[in-house]
Amino acid sequence: MLFIGICGASGSGKSTLAQALHEKLGERCFVLQQDAYYLDHPNLTFEERALLNYDEPAIFDHDLLLQDIQKLMNGEPITQKHYDYSQHRRDDHDTLIWPRDVMILEGIHCFHDDRLRGLMYLKLYMKVEPDICLLRRIRRDINERGRDINSIATQYLSTVKPMYDKYIRNYVNFADVIVAGGGKNARIVDILAGYVQDELSKRGTF
């Protein structure tokens, strides 16, 4: 199995690139989202959960994510993890995810855990100007997560920007490939898909 990590700021195009690669590579590829592995906090009220810093590395269950990745790389299925943004709670499913030839993990801190990073065959970093990322985040949070502009602005200033400056911008140093301009780059998708297909062919799996 080829394990590909896609890291970058919120709104940088990680999901877009992951989906484009998935479509290019077909059924032999699947995508996992680090956001599905937020830690659950059932002991907190909704108001308390809403105040948590969802942009710091410690908000994720890195051990569970690593465990699932290792199972998949060993040929074992995992149950699908899911996060309910409306309630700030984990909402995992019983659906099984089976290993395939290519696994893509995308997330703002998917390069944070060196145990996980060491398993990656290819590490991609999305390098996009912060103001473009912010505009994309505003559009996504309003259209897909039912947020209002005031809550988005408050979160951006209190956690998103500080965590980007402290952690996320520095993950570029771990990247094998820097992707500029976001995920809607047909040429880079073709190049990356061709590279992966060539490696699978060398391994006799494509």
Side-chain angles (χ1 to χ4, degrees), residues 141-174:
D141 284 0
I142 290 175
N143 295 335
E144 299 178 17
R145 300 181 181 177
R147 303 276 302 282
D148 62 72
I149 190 66
N150 289 330
S151 69
I152 295 170
T154 298
Q155 185 180 27
Y156 183 80
L157 293 174
S158 62
T159 65
V160 177
K161 185 62 164 57
M163 294 300 99
Y164 171 78
D165 290 337
K166 185 175 182 179
Y167 296 105
I168 300 169
R169 69 189 305 168
N170 298 316
Y171 292 144
V172 67
N173 297 318
F174 298 122

PDB file of all heavy atoms in Angstrom, residues 141-174:
ATOM      1  N   ASP A 141     -17.593  27.160   5.778  1.00  0.00           N
ATOM      2  CA  ASP A 141     -18.242  27.102   7.083  1.00  0.00           C
ATOM      3  C   ASP A 141     -19.675  27.622   7.041  1.00  0.00           C
ATOM      4  O   ASP A 141     -20.537  27.144   7.788  1.00  0.00           O
ATOM      5  CB  ASP A 141     -17.432  27.891   8.120  1.00  0.00           C
ATOM      6  CG  ASP A 141     -16.191  27.136   8.583  1.00  0.00           C
ATOM      7  OD1 ASP A 141     -15.987  26.006   8.096  1.00  0.00           O
ATOM      8  OD2 ASP A 141     -15.445  27.668   9.414  1.00  0.00           O
ATOM      9  N   ILE A 142     -19.937  28.589   6.201  1.00  0.00           N
ATOM     10  CA  ILE A 142     -21.302  29.110   6.061  1.00  0.00           C
ATOM     11  C   ILE A 142     -22.180  28.121   5.295  1.00  0.00           C
ATOM     12  O   ILE A 142     -23.292  27.793   5.727  1.00  0.00           O
ATOM     13  CB  ILE A 142     -21.297  30.484   5.362  1.00  0.00           C
ATOM     14  CG1 ILE A 142     -20.686  31.546   6.292  1.00  0.00           C
ATOM     15  CG2 ILE A 142     -22.710  30.889   4.952  1.00  0.00           C
ATOM     16  CD1 ILE A 142     -20.537  32.906   5.648  1.00  0.00           C
ATOM     17  N   ASN A 143     -21.668  27.620   4.171  1.00  0.00           N
ATOM     18  CA  ASN A 143     -22.479  26.759   3.298  1.00  0.00           C
ATOM     19  C   ASN A 143     -22.621  25.333   3.803  1.00  0.00           C
ATOM     20  O   ASN A 143     -23.674  24.701   3.614  1.00  0.00           O
ATOM     21  CB  ASN A 143     -21.886  26.737   1.887  1.00  0.00           C
ATOM     22  CG  ASN A 143     -21.954  28.087   1.202  1.00  0.00           C
ATOM     23  OD1 ASN A 143     -22.812  28.914   1.537  1.00  0.00           O
ATOM     24  ND2 ASN A 143     -21.076  28.329   0.248  1.00  0.00           N
ATOM     25  N   GLU A 144     -21.569  24.792   4.437  1.00  0.00           N
ATOM     26  CA  GLU A 144     -21.577  23.384   4.801  1.00  0.00           C
ATOM     27  C   GLU A 144     -21.748  23.123   6.291  1.00  0.00           C
ATOM     28  O   GLU A 144     -22.195  22.035   6.673  1.00  0.00           O
ATOM     29  CB  GLU A 144     -20.263  22.724   4.334  1.00  0.00           C
ATOM     30  CG  GLU A 144     -20.040  22.781   2.828  1.00  0.00           C
ATOM     31  CD  GLU A 144     -18.717  22.170   2.420  1.00  0.00           C
ATOM     32  OE1 GLU A 144     -18.122  21.426   3.234  1.00  0.00           O
ATOM     33  OE2 GLU A 144     -18.262  22.442   1.291  1.00  0.00           O
ATOM     34  N   ARG A 145     -21.422  24.093   7.139  1.00  0.00           N
ATOM     35  CA  ARG A 145     -21.440  23.833   8.583  1.00  0.00           C
ATOM     36  C   ARG A 145     -22.355  24.757   9.358  1.00  0.00           C
ATOM     37  O   ARG A 145     -22.379  24.734  10.583  1.00  0.00           O
ATOM     38  CB  ARG A 145     -20.008  23.898   9.145  1.00  0.00           C
ATOM     39  CG  ARG A 145     -19.084  22.868   8.496  1.00  0.00           C
ATOM     40  CD  ARG A 145     -17.676  22.898   9.049  1.00  0.00           C
ATOM     41  NE  ARG A 145     -16.853  21.913   8.363  1.00  0.00           N
ATOM     42  CZ  ARG A 145     -15.545  21.744   8.585  1.00  0.00           C
ATOM     43  NH1 ARG A 145     -14.931  22.486   9.482  1.00  0.00           N
ATOM     44  NH2 ARG A 145     -14.857  20.832   7.906  1.00  0.00           N
ATOM     45  N   GLY A 146     -23.133  25.580   8.639  1.00  0.00           N
ATOM     46  CA  GLY A 146     -24.138  26.413   9.275  1.00  0.00           C
ATOM     47  C   GLY A 146     -23.603  27.482  10.206  1.00  0.00           C
ATOM     48  O   GLY A 146     -24.290  27.915  11.138  1.00  0.00           O
ATOM     49  N   ARG A 147     -22.380  27.928   9.977  1.00  0.00           N
ATOM     50  CA  ARG A 147     -21.762  28.931  10.841  1.00  0.00           C
ATOM     51  C   ARG A 147     -22.136  30.333  10.375  1.00  0.00           C
ATOM     52  O   ARG A 147     -22.530  30.553   9.229  1.00  0.00           O
ATOM     53  CB  ARG A 147     -20.242  28.772  10.804  1.00  0.00           C
ATOM     54  CG  ARG A 147     -19.730  27.394  11.191  1.00  0.00           C
ATOM     55  CD  ARG A 147     -19.611  27.240  12.682  1.00  0.00           C
ATOM     56  NE  ARG A 147     -18.735  28.253  13.253  1.00  0.00           N
ATOM     57  CZ  ARG A 147     -17.399  28.188  13.195  1.00  0.00           C
ATOM     58  NH1 ARG A 147     -16.795  27.163  12.588  1.00  0.00           N
ATOM     59  NH2 ARG A 147     -16.676  29.143  13.747  1.00  0.00           N
ATOM     60  N   ASP A 148     -21.984  31.317  11.255  1.00  0.00           N
ATOM     61  CA  ASP A 148     -22.178  32.712  10.863  1.00  0.00           C
ATOM     62  C   ASP A 148     -20.832  33.421  10.846  1.00  0.00           C
ATOM     63  O   ASP A 148     -19.852  32.949  11.428  1.00  0.00           O
ATOM     64  CB  ASP A 148     -23.157  33.420  11.809  1.00  0.00           C
ATOM     65  CG  ASP A 148     -22.653  33.466  13.240  1.00  0.00           C
ATOM     66  OD1 ASP A 148     -21.701  34.230  13.505  1.00  0.00           O
ATOM     67  OD2 ASP A 148     -23.192  32.738  14.088  1.00  0.00           O
ATOM     68  N   ILE A 149     -20.798  34.567  10.212  1.00  0.00           N
ATOM     69  CA  ILE A 149     -19.537  35.252   9.967  1.00  0.00           C
ATOM     70  C   ILE A 149     -18.857  35.685  11.265  1.00  0.00           C
ATOM     71  O   ILE A 149     -17.623  35.682  11.372  1.00  0.00           O
ATOM     72  CB  ILE A 149     -19.743  36.470   9.024  1.00  0.00           C
ATOM     73  CG1 ILE A 149     -18.388  37.038   8.556  1.00  0.00           C
ATOM     74  CG2 ILE A 149     -20.585  37.524   9.687  1.00  0.00           C
ATOM     75  CD1 ILE A 149     -17.619  36.091   7.673  1.00  0.00           C
ATOM     76  N   ASN A 150     -19.638  36.039  12.279  1.00  0.00           N
ATOM     77  CA  ASN A 150     -19.037  36.478  13.546  1.00  0.00           C
ATOM     78  C   ASN A 150     -18.298  35.338  14.246  1.00  0.00           C
ATOM     79  O   ASN A 150     -17.193  35.531  14.758  1.00  0.00           O
ATOM     80  CB  ASN A 150     -20.119  37.043  14.471  1.00  0.00           C
ATOM     81  CG  ASN A 150     -20.646  38.382  13.988  1.00  0.00           C
ATOM     82  OD1 ASN A 150     -19.925  39.152  13.357  1.00  0.00           O
ATOM     83  ND2 ASN A 150     -21.912  38.664  14.277  1.00  0.00           N
ATOM     84  N   SER A 151     -18.907  34.155  14.268  1.00  0.00           N
ATOM     85  CA  SER A 151     -18.247  33.021  14.921  1.00  0.00           C
ATOM     86  C   SER A 151     -17.016  32.584  14.140  1.00  0.00           C
ATOM     87  O   SER A 151     -16.006  32.186  14.722  1.00  0.00           O
ATOM     88  CB  SER A 151     -19.222  31.841  15.068  1.00  0.00           C
ATOM     89  OG  SER A 151     -19.545  31.271  13.815  1.00  0.00           O
ATOM     90  N   ILE A 152     -17.091  32.670  12.808  1.00  0.00           N
ATOM     91  CA  ILE A 152     -15.945  32.324  11.975  1.00  0.00           C
ATOM     92  C   ILE A 152     -14.788  33.283  12.235  1.00  0.00           C
ATOM     93  O   ILE A 152     -13.632  32.871  12.388  1.00  0.00           O
ATOM     94  CB  ILE A 152     -16.334  32.351  10.481  1.00  0.00           C
ATOM     95  CG1 ILE A 152     -17.371  31.273  10.177  1.00  0.00           C
ATOM     96  CG2 ILE A 152     -15.094  32.142   9.601  1.00  0.00           C
ATOM     97  CD1 ILE A 152     -17.969  31.390   8.789  1.00  0.00           C
ATOM     98  N   ALA A 153     -15.098  34.580  12.311  1.00  0.00           N
ATOM     99  CA  ALA A 153     -14.054  35.590  12.558  1.00  0.00           C
ATOM    100  C   ALA A 153     -13.422  35.411  13.931  1.00  0.00           C
ATOM    101  O   ALA A 153     -12.190  35.495  14.080  1.00  0.00           O
ATOM    102  CB  ALA A 153     -14.658  36.987  12.431  1.00  0.00           C
ATOM    103  N   THR A 154     -14.252  35.133  14.934  1.00  0.00           N
ATOM    104  CA  THR A 154     -13.736  34.940  16.290  1.00  0.00           C
ATOM    105  C   THR A 154     -12.804  33.744  16.345  1.00  0.00           C
ATOM    106  O   THR A 154     -11.708  33.810  16.934  1.00  0.00           O
ATOM    107  CB  THR A 154     -14.900  34.737  17.282  1.00  0.00           C
ATOM    108  OG1 THR A 154     -15.717  35.914  17.297  1.00  0.00           O
ATOM    109  CG2 THR A 154     -14.374  34.464  18.682  1.00  0.00           C
ATOM    110  N   GLN A 155     -13.225  32.632  15.740  1.00  0.00           N
ATOM    111  CA  GLN A 155     -12.395  31.426  15.748  1.00  0.00           C
ATOM    112  C   GLN A 155     -11.101  31.646  14.973  1.00  0.00           C
ATOM    113  O   GLN A 155     -10.031  31.190  15.398  1.00  0.00           O
ATOM    114  CB  GLN A 155     -13.156  30.249  15.163  1.00  0.00           C
ATOM    115  CG  GLN A 155     -12.393  28.933  15.259  1.00  0.00           C
ATOM    116  CD  GLN A 155     -13.154  27.770  14.669  1.00  0.00           C
ATOM    117  OE1 GLN A 155     -13.990  27.937  13.775  1.00  0.00           O
ATOM    118  NE2 GLN A 155     -12.873  26.573  15.152  1.00  0.00           N
ATOM    119  N   TYR A 156     -11.190  32.340  13.855  1.00  0.00           N
ATOM    120  CA  TYR A 156      -9.995  32.573  13.040  1.00  0.00           C
ATOM    121  C   TYR A 156      -8.942  33.360  13.824  1.00  0.00           C
ATOM    122  O   TYR A 156      -7.752  32.985  13.823  1.00  0.00           O
ATOM    123  CB  TYR A 156     -10.363  33.321  11.754  1.00  0.00           C
ATOM    124  CG  TYR A 156      -9.165  33.532  10.846  1.00  0.00           C
ATOM    125  CD1 TYR A 156      -8.715  32.510  10.019  1.00  0.00           C
ATOM    126  CD2 TYR A 156      -8.483  34.745  10.834  1.00  0.00           C
ATOM    127  CE1 TYR A 156      -7.610  32.685   9.206  1.00  0.00           C
ATOM    128  CE2 TYR A 156      -7.379  34.933  10.016  1.00  0.00           C
ATOM    129  CZ  TYR A 156      -6.941  33.896   9.201  1.00  0.00           C
ATOM    130  OH  TYR A 156      -5.839  34.079   8.403  1.00  0.00           O
ATOM    131  N   LEU A 157      -9.369  34.406  14.499  1.00  0.00           N
ATOM    132  CA  LEU A 157      -8.426  35.258  15.220  1.00  0.00           C
ATOM    133  C   LEU A 157      -7.902  34.610  16.501  1.00  0.00           C
ATOM    134  O   LEU A 157      -6.744  34.825  16.877  1.00  0.00           O
ATOM    135  CB  LEU A 157      -9.090  36.602  15.549  1.00  0.00           C
ATOM    136  CG  LEU A 157      -9.416  37.496  14.353  1.00  0.00           C
ATOM    137  CD1 LEU A 157     -10.200  38.711  14.797  1.00  0.00           C
ATOM    138  CD2 LEU A 157      -8.154  37.907  13.616  1.00  0.00           C
ATOM    139  N   SER A 158      -8.744  33.794  17.149  1.00  0.00           N
ATOM    140  CA  SER A 158      -8.350  33.233  18.444  1.00  0.00           C
ATOM    141  C   SER A 158      -7.579  31.923  18.325  1.00  0.00           C
ATOM    142  O   SER A 158      -6.701  31.638  19.165  1.00  0.00           O
ATOM    143  CB  SER A 158      -9.584  33.013  19.316  1.00  0.00           C
ATOM    144  OG  SER A 158     -10.469  32.075  18.719  1.00  0.00           O
ATOM    145  N   THR A 159      -7.873  31.104  17.301  1.00  0.00           N
ATOM    146  CA  THR A 159      -7.206  29.797  17.212  1.00  0.00           C
ATOM    147  C   THR A 159      -6.621  29.478  15.835  1.00  0.00           C
ATOM    148  O   THR A 159      -5.503  28.971  15.751  1.00  0.00           O
ATOM    149  CB  THR A 159      -8.172  28.656  17.595  1.00  0.00           C
ATOM    150  OG1 THR A 159      -9.249  28.581  16.641  1.00  0.00           O
ATOM    151  CG2 THR A 159      -8.736  28.855  18.986  1.00  0.00           C
ATOM    152  N   VAL A 160      -7.357  29.755  14.769  1.00  0.00           N
ATOM    153  CA  VAL A 160      -6.915  29.324  13.437  1.00  0.00           C
ATOM    154  C   VAL A 160      -5.590  29.983  13.043  1.00  0.00           C
ATOM    155  O   VAL A 160      -4.616  29.295  12.714  1.00  0.00           O
ATOM    156  CB  VAL A 160      -7.988  29.634  12.365  1.00  0.00           C
ATOM    157  CG1 VAL A 160      -7.475  29.238  10.972  1.00  0.00           C
ATOM    158  CG2 VAL A 160      -9.277  28.889  12.677  1.00  0.00           C
ATOM    159  N   LYS A 161      -5.536  31.292  13.083  1.00  0.00           N
ATOM    160  CA  LYS A 161      -4.319  32.012  12.692  1.00  0.00           C
ATOM    161  C   LYS A 161      -3.155  31.720  13.649  1.00  0.00           C
ATOM    162  O   LYS A 161      -2.029  31.449  13.186  1.00  0.00           O
ATOM    163  CB  LYS A 161      -4.598  33.519  12.625  1.00  0.00           C
ATOM    164  CG  LYS A 161      -3.431  34.362  12.117  1.00  0.00           C
ATOM    165  CD  LYS A 161      -3.052  34.001  10.691  1.00  0.00           C
ATOM    166  CE  LYS A 161      -2.181  35.060  10.036  1.00  0.00           C
ATOM    167  NZ  LYS A 161      -0.927  35.345  10.764  1.00  0.00           N
ATOM    168  N   PRO A 162      -3.353  31.756  14.974  1.00  0.00           N
ATOM    169  CA  PRO A 162      -2.233  31.437  15.876  1.00  0.00           C
ATOM    170  C   PRO A 162      -1.680  30.029  15.679  1.00  0.00           C
ATOM    171  O   PRO A 162      -0.460  29.830  15.725  1.00  0.00           O
ATOM    172  CB  PRO A 162      -2.857  31.598  17.271  1.00  0.00           C
ATOM    173  CG  PRO A 162      -3.966  32.571  17.085  1.00  0.00           C
ATOM    174  CD  PRO A 162      -4.528  32.270  15.729  1.00  0.00           C
ATOM    175  N   MET A 163      -2.554  29.049  15.452  1.00  0.00           N
ATOM    176  CA  MET A 163      -2.088  27.673  15.264  1.00  0.00           C
ATOM    177  C   MET A 163      -1.407  27.495  13.910  1.00  0.00           C
ATOM    178  O   MET A 163      -0.474  26.697  13.779  1.00  0.00           O
ATOM    179  CB  MET A 163      -3.250  26.686  15.404  1.00  0.00           C
ATOM    180  CG  MET A 163      -3.848  26.609  16.801  1.00  0.00           C
ATOM    181  SD  MET A 163      -2.650  26.102  18.091  1.00  0.00           S
ATOM    182  CE  MET A 163      -2.211  27.697  18.802  1.00  0.00           C
ATOM    183  N   TYR A 164      -1.855  28.260  12.921  1.00  0.00           N
ATOM    184  CA  TYR A 164      -1.177  28.232  11.622  1.00  0.00           C
ATOM    185  C   TYR A 164       0.250  28.765  11.775  1.00  0.00           C
ATOM    186  O   TYR A 164       1.210  28.155  11.293  1.00  0.00           O
ATOM    187  CB  TYR A 164      -1.940  29.065  10.593  1.00  0.00           C
ATOM    188  CG  TYR A 164      -1.179  29.247   9.297  1.00  0.00           C
ATOM    189  CD1 TYR A 164      -1.123  28.218   8.353  1.00  0.00           C
ATOM    190  CD2 TYR A 164      -0.491  30.428   9.036  1.00  0.00           C
ATOM    191  CE1 TYR A 164      -0.394  28.371   7.174  1.00  0.00           C
ATOM    192  CE2 TYR A 164       0.233  30.592   7.875  1.00  0.00           C
ATOM    193  CZ  TYR A 164       0.278  29.558   6.944  1.00  0.00           C
ATOM    194  OH  TYR A 164       1.013  29.706   5.780  1.00  0.00           O
ATOM    195  N   ASP A 165       0.370  29.886  12.471  1.00  0.00           N
ATOM    196  CA  ASP A 165       1.694  30.487  12.653  1.00  0.00           C
ATOM    197  C   ASP A 165       2.617  29.606  13.493  1.00  0.00           C
ATOM    198  O   ASP A 165       3.822  29.518  13.220  1.00  0.00           O
ATOM    199  CB  ASP A 165       1.557  31.862  13.315  1.00  0.00           C
ATOM    200  CG  ASP A 165       0.938  32.898  12.386  1.00  0.00           C
ATOM    201  OD1 ASP A 165       1.024  32.704  11.158  1.00  0.00           O
ATOM    202  OD2 ASP A 165       0.362  33.884  12.883  1.00  0.00           O
ATOM    203  N   LYS A 166       2.058  28.950  14.500  1.00  0.00           N
ATOM    204  CA  LYS A 166       2.877  28.153  15.421  1.00  0.00           C
ATOM    205  C   LYS A 166       3.244  26.785  14.853  1.00  0.00           C
ATOM    206  O   LYS A 166       4.365  26.308  15.047  1.00  0.00           O
ATOM    207  CB  LYS A 166       2.128  27.977  16.745  1.00  0.00           C
ATOM    208  CG  LYS A 166       2.946  27.258  17.805  1.00  0.00           C
ATOM    209  CD  LYS A 166       2.204  27.217  19.137  1.00  0.00           C
ATOM    210  CE  LYS A 166       3.037  26.533  20.211  1.00  0.00           C
ATOM    211  NZ  LYS A 166       2.339  26.500  21.522  1.00  0.00           N
ATOM    212  N   TYR A 167       2.297  26.153  14.154  1.00  0.00           N
ATOM    213  CA  TYR A 167       2.508  24.775  13.712  1.00  0.00           C
ATOM    214  C   TYR A 167       2.435  24.579  12.195  1.00  0.00           C
ATOM    215  O   TYR A 167       3.402  24.130  11.566  1.00  0.00           O
ATOM    216  CB  TYR A 167       1.460  23.846  14.346  1.00  0.00           C
ATOM    217  CG  TYR A 167       1.515  23.732  15.830  1.00  0.00           C
ATOM    218  CD1 TYR A 167       0.572  24.366  16.634  1.00  0.00           C
ATOM    219  CD2 TYR A 167       2.494  22.965  16.461  1.00  0.00           C
ATOM    220  CE1 TYR A 167       0.608  24.254  18.016  1.00  0.00           C
ATOM    221  CE2 TYR A 167       2.543  22.833  17.839  1.00  0.00           C
ATOM    222  CZ  TYR A 167       1.596  23.480  18.605  1.00  0.00           C
ATOM    223  OH  TYR A 167       1.629  23.362  19.968  1.00  0.00           O
ATOM    224  N   ILE A 168       1.283  24.905  11.628  1.00  0.00           N
ATOM    225  CA  ILE A 168       0.948  24.424  10.285  1.00  0.00           C
ATOM    226  C   ILE A 168       1.891  24.961   9.220  1.00  0.00           C
ATOM    227  O   ILE A 168       2.294  24.212   8.321  1.00  0.00           O
ATOM    228  CB  ILE A 168      -0.522  24.759   9.947  1.00  0.00           C
ATOM    229  CG1 ILE A 168      -1.441  24.082  10.973  1.00  0.00           C
ATOM    230  CG2 ILE A 168      -0.878  24.299   8.534  1.00  0.00           C
ATOM    231  CD1 ILE A 168      -2.888  24.525  10.916  1.00  0.00           C
ATOM    232  N   ARG A 169       2.255  26.212   9.294  1.00  0.00           N
ATOM    233  CA  ARG A 169       3.137  26.782   8.273  1.00  0.00           C
ATOM    234  C   ARG A 169       4.499  26.079   8.261  1.00  0.00           C
ATOM    235  O   ARG A 169       5.183  26.033   7.232  1.00  0.00           O
ATOM    236  CB  ARG A 169       3.308  28.281   8.496  1.00  0.00           C
ATOM    237  CG  ARG A 169       4.104  28.632   9.733  1.00  0.00           C
ATOM    238  CD  ARG A 169       4.073  30.123  10.037  1.00  0.00           C
ATOM    239  NE  ARG A 169       4.529  30.893   8.892  1.00  0.00           N
ATOM    240  CZ  ARG A 169       4.400  32.212   8.788  1.00  0.00           C
ATOM    241  NH1 ARG A 169       3.804  32.895   9.765  1.00  0.00           N
ATOM    242  NH2 ARG A 169       4.846  32.853   7.741  1.00  0.00           N
ATOM    243  N   ASN A 170       4.891  25.507   9.407  1.00  0.00           N
ATOM    244  CA  ASN A 170       6.199  24.853   9.508  1.00  0.00           C
ATOM    245  C   ASN A 170       6.204  23.414   8.997  1.00  0.00           C
ATOM    246  O   ASN A 170       7.278  22.833   8.812  1.00  0.00           O
ATOM    247  CB  ASN A 170       6.675  24.882  10.961  1.00  0.00           C
ATOM    248  CG  ASN A 170       6.864  26.296  11.480  1.00  0.00           C
ATOM    249  OD1 ASN A 170       7.426  27.150  10.791  1.00  0.00           O
ATOM    250  ND2 ASN A 170       6.373  26.568  12.677  1.00  0.00           N
ATOM    251  N   TYR A 171       5.026  22.842   8.781  1.00  0.00           N
ATOM    252  CA  TYR A 171       4.977  21.474   8.267  1.00  0.00           C
ATOM    253  C   TYR A 171       5.533  21.378   6.849  1.00  0.00           C
ATOM    254  O   TYR A 171       5.833  20.286   6.367  1.00  0.00           O
ATOM    255  CB  TYR A 171       3.543  20.939   8.282  1.00  0.00           C
ATOM    256  CG  TYR A 171       2.966  20.723   9.660  1.00  0.00           C
ATOM    257  CD1 TYR A 171       1.623  20.971   9.924  1.00  0.00           C
ATOM    258  CD2 TYR A 171       3.755  20.273  10.717  1.00  0.00           C
ATOM    259  CE1 TYR A 171       1.074  20.766  11.177  1.00  0.00           C
ATOM    260  CE2 TYR A 171       3.221  20.077  11.982  1.00  0.00           C
ATOM    261  CZ  TYR A 171       1.874  20.323  12.205  1.00  0.00           C
ATOM    262  OH  TYR A 171       1.337  20.120  13.449  1.00  0.00           O
ATOM    263  N   VAL A 172       5.668  22.511   6.193  1.00  0.00           N
ATOM    264  CA  VAL A 172       6.238  22.509   4.845  1.00  0.00           C
ATOM    265  C   VAL A 172       7.631  21.885   4.848  1.00  0.00           C
ATOM    266  O   VAL A 172       8.080  21.326   3.829  1.00  0.00           O
ATOM    267  CB  VAL A 172       6.274  23.946   4.269  1.00  0.00           C
ATOM    268  CG1 VAL A 172       7.262  24.807   5.041  1.00  0.00           C
ATOM    269  CG2 VAL A 172       6.599  23.935   2.786  1.00  0.00           C
ATOM    270  N   ASN A 173       8.315  21.958   5.981  1.00  0.00           N
ATOM    271  CA  ASN A 173       9.674  21.412   6.069  1.00  0.00           C
ATOM    272  C   ASN A 173       9.704  19.889   5.979  1.00  0.00           C
ATOM    273  O   ASN A 173      10.767  19.307   5.733  1.00  0.00           O
ATOM    274  CB  ASN A 173      10.316  21.856   7.392  1.00  0.00           C
ATOM    275  CG  ASN A 173      10.484  23.360   7.483  1.00  0.00           C
ATOM    276  OD1 ASN A 173      10.865  24.010   6.515  1.00  0.00           O
ATOM    277  ND2 ASN A 173      10.180  23.928   8.644  1.00  0.00           N
ATOM    278  N   PHE A 174       8.556  19.232   6.178  1.00  0.00           N
ATOM    279  CA  PHE A 174       8.496  17.776   6.084  1.00  0.00           C
ATOM    280  C   PHE A 174       8.060  17.294   4.701  1.00  0.00           C
ATOM    281  O   PHE A 174       8.056  16.096   4.434  1.00  0.00           O
ATOM    282  CB  PHE A 174       7.503  17.218   7.119  1.00  0.00           C
ATOM    283  CG  PHE A 174       7.883  17.499   8.543  1.00  0.00           C
ATOM    284  CD1 PHE A 174       7.022  18.203   9.375  1.00  0.00           C
ATOM    285  CD2 PHE A 174       9.087  17.061   9.060  1.00  0.00           C
ATOM    286  CE1 PHE A 174       7.359  18.454  10.695  1.00  0.00           C
ATOM    287  CE2 PHE A 174       9.440  17.315  10.379  1.00  0.00           C
ATOM    288  CZ  PHE A 174       8.569  18.008  11.193  1.00  0.00           C
TER     289      PHE A 174
END
